[in-house]
Amino acid sequence: MSAPGTTHLPSQGRELGTAAPFFPRLHELAADTAQDGRIGVVTALPDGERNTFRLASPVGGDQEWSAPADGTTLRPVPAKPTCATLAEPLGAVYDARAGQGSVRVLIHFEDGTQDEAVLILTPADMERLYAQTGRMLGDRDQHWTKT
């Protein structure tokens, strides 16, 4: 996926950068790169009277600041990952040349979205995972025999 135009070319007369401007909606979270990545809630949008976004600290709202209306300093705040599960089909593969294995996983996020990723395992990681899953299966078996 490529951004529209190449923003790093001097002929375009823009600052160095590769990210497209982000235009958040009212009450949405945004990170402001001009404020060292500080996260704020958008409290006002640029309009006829105001040529900036207004943001406020999401906790307490006691700190407010402005960001340019062109959105160049604003970035979306990604949802936090909550867990990872094995993807279907599993697709576990050992690459002898690289000396590592890989397993497809789904990363689940707070907002309900998910994304596929690959878990890379060194031989030592595979041994640790094997030992840990063996212990978990043993705990499960003990639980079922007690009930």
Side-chain angles (χ1 to χ4, degrees):
M1 186 167 146
S2 62
T6 27
T7 59
H8 62 278
L9 296 177
S11 64
Q12 291 182 313
R14 294 175 64 182
E15 294 179 24
L16 289 178
T18 57
F22 172 58
F23 299 104
R25 292 178 279 181
L26 197 59
H27 307 297
E28 193 169 31
L29 290 176
D32 191 349
T33 59
Q35 299 285 323
D36 294 322
R38 182 166 43 157
I39 295 173
V41 177
V42 176
T43 58
L45 300 173
D47 59 19
E49 298 173 22
R50 180 183 313 100
N51 63 352
T52 62
F53 285 95
R54 283 299 291 160
L55 293 100
S57 174
V59 179
D62 54 343
Q63 295 181 339
E64 291 191 11
W65 71 96
S66 296
D70 63 6
T72 54
T73 67
L74 299 178
R75 300 291 176 265
V77 177
K80 292 181 182 177
T82 58
C83 66
T85 58
L86 295 174
E88 290 294 333
L90 186 57
V93 176
Y94 181 74
D95 183 346
R97 279 188 337 174
Q100 63 189 23
S102 63
V103 179
R104 292 178 49 238
V105 295
L106 289 176
I107 310 295
H108 301 268
F109 297 92
E110 281 180 330
D111 63 1
T113 60
Q114 60 187 24
D115 201 2
E116 190 171 307
V118 177
L119 175 62
I120 304 296
L121 301 163
T122 65
D125 293 333
M126 287 184 269
E127 289 290 337
R128 284 189 359 230
L129 187 57
Y130 179 76
Q132 291 171 4
T133 52
R135 262 194 307 276
M136 287 188 292
L137 289 169
D139 291 347
R140 180 196 67 171
D141 292 344
Q142 283 183 343
H143 172 77
W144 287 109
T145 57
K146 288 180 183 179
T147 56

